[in-house]
Amino acid sequence: MPIQTVELRNISKRFPGVLANDRVNLDVRAGEILALLGENGAGKSTLMKILYGMYHPTEGEIAVNGQVVQFKSPADALAQGIGMIHQHFQLVPGFTVAENVALGLKSSRGPLTDLNVVSQRVRELGAQYGLHVDPNALVWQLAVGQQQRVEILKALYRDASLLILDEPTAVLTPQEVQEFFGILRRLRAAGNALIFISHKLYEVKAISDRVVVLRDGRVVGGVATQATNQKELARMMVGREVITQWEKPAAQARETALQIDKLQALNDKQLPAVKEVSLQVRAGEILGIAGVSGNGQRELAEAVVGMRLIRGGSVRVNGKDVTHHSPAQMIQAGVAFIPEERMVMGIVREFSVAENAILITHTEPPLSRRALFDFRAVNTHVARLVREYDVRTPSLETPVKNLSGGNIQKLILARELSRSPRVLIAAQPTRGVDIGATEYIHKRLIEQRSAGTAVLLISEDLEEVRALSDRIAVMYEGEIVGIVPPTTSVEELGLMMAGAKKDS
Amino acid sequence: MSTTRQRFDFGRYNFILVPFIAGGLALLVGAVIIWLLGANPIEAYIGMVQGALGSPNAIADSLVKAGPLLFVGVGICIAYRGGVINIGGEGQIVIGALATTLVVLTLSGLPSLILIPLALAAGFVGGGFWGGIAGFLKARFKVNEVLSTIMLNAIAVQLMTFLLNGALMDPTSLDNSIRIPQTQRFPLWTDLPRLIPTRLHAGILLGVLIAVLAYILLWHTTIGYRIRAVGFNTVASKYAGINVGRYQILAITLSGALAGLGGAVEVMGVNHRLFTDGSATGFTGNAGFNGIVVALFGALHPLGVIPASFLFGALLTGANTLQRTVQVPGAFVTTLDGLVVIFVVASQIWARRRATRHAMPELPPQDKIVPASTT
Ligand SMILES: Nc1ncnc2c1ncn2[C@@H]1O[C@H](COP(=O)(O)OP(=O)(O)OP(=O)(O)O)[C@@H](O)[C@H]1O
Ligand SMILES: [Mg+2]
């Protein structure tokens, strides 16, 4: 039976040192989109993982269509019609779309596969909801937005009628978000229930029917989306007014700190991704790179810091040639990097908060002397970082994989900014970060720049790029199509991001 | 399921529990085999415990058996923490013992205060060199270390057999033309000191010391920090400026070095000569493989390996006496040993699978996220 209502009653979840959910009551009905808002670490993902059977609640119960149910695993939740699309996809890259959808299901032909049947149904579902993907395409060849569709198709194929979407838009380009919202509206019209998590208030305002706000694991409010505005939502979330725009002091740009000349690099598929890119970033300025993701920004950043092979061109830091230098040498040269792939590149998941906080600097005194750690010094240092950047963690010994996504990002930022680098390359620094923390990170980036750091900011968020940058370079298909002032309108930037050259 | 999930998340407890349950199951299967062989399993196991712990001599024998397991096991921990699987303990023991033998036989004129440390160091260096080859092949040419260490095992044993049948053969046996593949007995002043009037020698103490040092290395030094970082995540390590290949090589070199030291202690403390019994593994008594099981028993923690190796040493010693106490064939020892290995290793694979499966949601697929420059 399709889902009419799902209720979470008095749900609590305790982890060592944290009460992630504290007597939460929540309900969602067929035909509505419920948005779940809350700061980093408020307990949103935990609550959703309980609903999806991945965690057992410490207390409380779940009722589907009025019947109390017990989930031992996600399979039980799926059997009741509850599906979840994680922020990090669980697809087999070497399999086709149809194979991924069929994975783990019984075939109608016994031991033989029934991929034709699956493909047929995938096409039907695709046509019904606007989830267009070729069932025979290999998953690794698909863009991120399409992979997300495959995840949704997997859930729908298993007859899910409540879809949980945990920060689905964090990985999408603005255009993809619009298409994605179209899909959500069609799913809602067909009588599905949807739970949507995002840190972007305008998205919540645009797509949801109802908003529930969590703070410190508790529900602090619920409103009809119609009856509220972004400002009020922000206040409910953070508990105070949030400034989203503020004056930044004029740039005091000095000598060129980072000089990139005709740089070339390949992407993971070994195709040219960075094509003769030339850029200069001066000490004391923020150069923003705007562009739809997948146009070579990630490869550019990785090539500059030595994480990716340079196929041509050169990189200079403070006039010194550092082309082909290793990441270790780049660190020595005073370059800091906040990577886009933060869960894999930026941290060691199994390491503790303290161990991750000293990932780059662990060989420097006073943290260690002659290879021996001074744990007192380490703890003092890390405790200060955690306090200053408001990283919410039960303890410094907690494995980083147990932190919420936004808090992991804050930890990386704390680590990289505290080194007072000469050059900072920040890729999507506020992706998945709540509005309060975003405000804070923006403030710190501007402080760094005013203190004389050359900042290369890569972001898909045009508002962010315009608010922070002193100059904006627009990247399209591996090339810089133009460098414009931050006062350039969003429309004009949009055109350039689509490849229109700027004559100047 | 979700409760087990958490237990595996905080795997510490399970990593300790799982091998014991698996070991118990192996003994249970062993009991069935004993029963099928027409003996009384309860009697047999009581006899085993007595054989292993029933007298000072028995305890000493168990500890002596634990020696090489301790060295290899601690080495396995280091390799594992560095993300390297070292199946090459056998070969590393052999090369270590060979190096020790060469030093002892060529420099036998030196006083023991110099010769013993020198000979031990030779074992350490020899085993480290043998492990380092696999590390180099992995870091430089992406050769899977499981394959290379297994092949290096075979090469090491062949080398030893060749030398023991030629250059290193006991001159007196050459004279008598009996041709036993062993060296002459080492000079008496190279014997490791006995602790009490049993076969127990100072090598065991060295092993305990090494385990403590390995713990300090892994968790109190930047070198160990880097080894562990590389073991968990090579991409993030590279990002952090760590030379991934270098630390992989270091991890397996240290691992091999400890196995080699185990070999040195074995020849200088127990046999006082190098010999081969002609089996696939030579004189090691399978310690290169059993050391892996011991490491798993010890939760892959150097300090956990200390009790684990004593337990396993007792098991081997006890099983050896079974032949005498109840009527089971001598090959049963090997069977029981094999059963424990299979059960413990399988249980670990099972536990790890479970853990990763439950951790999956947070993990993007590996091949999607590894940048081209690292592959
Ligand atoms: N497996 C776990 N073990 C221990 N603590 C955990 C675990 N998962 C989450 N936590 C803790 O529970 C709290 C809530 O985390 P959760 O991931 O639900 O936050 P969130 O609201 O999704 O945040 P974000 O917006 O950053 O994703 C955090 O303090 C986090 O550290
Ligand atoms: Mg979350």
Side-chain angles (χ1 to χ4, degrees), chain A residues 183-364:
Chain A
I183 294 165
L184 295 192
R185 291 199 182 94
R186 253 169 282 187
L187 284 166
R188 170 175 61 187
N192 294 289
L194 298 129
I195 300 180
F196 172 77
I197 299 177
S198 172
H199 287 293
K200 302 208 178 97
L201 298 179
Y202 57 86
E203 290 180 356
V204 169
K205 185 78 180 122
I207 192 69
S208 69
D209 301 304
R210 212 151 52 84
V211 185
V212 169
V213 180
L214 286 182
R215 198 196 305 157
D216 293 332
R218 276 186 298 274
V219 174
V220 292
V223 279
T225 310
Q226 288 291 317
T228 187
N229 56 43
Q230 293 189 31
K231 221 171 163 166
E232 189 189 4
L233 288 175
R235 196 167 48 233
M236 278 167 78
M237 242 172 89
V238 188
R240 62 172 168 88
E241 290 292 332
V242 180
I243 317 147
T244 41
Q245 286 291 335
W246 63 92
E247 285 306 303
K248 64 168 196 256
Q252 303 280 322
R254 305 196 309 252
E255 74 287 352
T256 299
L258 174 67
Q259 172 137 13
I260 302 168
D261 276 312
K262 298 198 169 149
L263 194 73
Q264 298 178 25
L266 305 182
N267 63 15
D268 293 351
K269 295 171 194 169
Q270 303 303 320
L271 301 171
V274 180
K275 302 167 190 162
E276 305 218 338
V277 167
S278 298
L279 289 171
Q280 286 101 39
V281 192
R282 283 173 294 166
E285 75 161 349
I286 298 181
L287 175 67
I289 295 194
V292 176
S293 87
N295 275 283
Q297 300 96 315
R298 198 186 104 197
E299 289 82 1
L300 172 66
E302 289 178 1
V304 168
V305 300
M307 288 297 289
R308 186 174 289 271
L309 214 62
I310 292 175
R311 291 301 174 112
S314 68
V315 179
R316 285 169 175 277
V317 171
N318 284 351
K320 204 174 134 240
D321 189 359
V322 293
T323 320
H324 302 300
H325 277 201
S326 69
Q329 288 169 304
M330 296 306 286
I331 291 167
Q332 280 300 312
V335 178
F337 178 37
I338 296 163
E340 183 180 337
E341 302 276 0
R342 60 170 176 244
M343 293 302 219
V344 190
M345 201 180 281
I347 51 154
V348 178
R349 289 166 42 84
E350 297 81 356
F351 268 11
S352 69
V353 169
E355 284 172 316
N356 271 293
I358 59 169
L359 195 59
I360 314 276
T361 50
H362 59 270
T363 49
E364 292 171 13

Side-chain angles (χ1 to χ4, degrees), chain B residues 72-151:
Chain B
V72 177
V74 171
I76 298 289
C77 293
I78 297 175
Y80 171 86
R81 297 287 170 179
V84 188
I85 318 256
N86 181 12
I87 312 284
E90 287 291 316
Q92 293 146 9
I93 296 173
V94 164
I95 297 296
L98 261 178
T100 298
T101 303
L102 286 174
V103 165
V104 168
L105 293 183
T106 49
L107 303 175
S108 55
L110 292 174
S112 57
L113 220 57
I114 297 171
L115 186 51
I116 291 182
L118 209 61
L120 290 174
F124 185 84
V125 171
F129 169 68
W130 215 240
I133 296 176
F136 176 76
L137 292 174
K138 179 186 174 72
R140 187 78 181 73
F141 301 109
K142 309 261 173 261
V143 177
N144 185 310
E145 72 275 18
V146 173
L147 294 180
S148 61
T149 47
I150 288 177
M151 289 191 230

Side-chain angles (χ1 to χ4, degrees), chain B residues 291-318:
Chain B
I292 299 174
V293 180
V294 165
L296 292 175
F297 255 105
L300 291 156
H301 192 293
L303 299 183
V305 172
I306 300 173
S309 63
F310 291 167
L311 206 73
F312 213 78
L315 178 76
L316 291 180
T317 311

Side-chain angles (χ1 to χ4, degrees), chain A residues 15 18 20 40-46 55 167 199 402-406:
Chain A
F15 289 117
V18 252
N40 297 127
K44 305 177 297 291
S45 297
T46 303
Y55 292 153
E167 299 195 33
H199 287 293
N402 289 345
L403 296 194
S404 78

Side-chain angles (χ1 to χ4, degrees), chain B residues 17-33 45 297 336 339-344 346-347 350:
Chain B
L17 263 183
V18 167
F20 280 93
I21 296 168
L25 285 175
L27 289 184
L28 222 61
V29 175
V32 173
I33 296 175
Y45 281 148
F297 255 105
L336 199 60
L339 278 172
V340 173
V341 172
I342 289 171
F343 271 79
V344 171
S347 73
W350 172 80

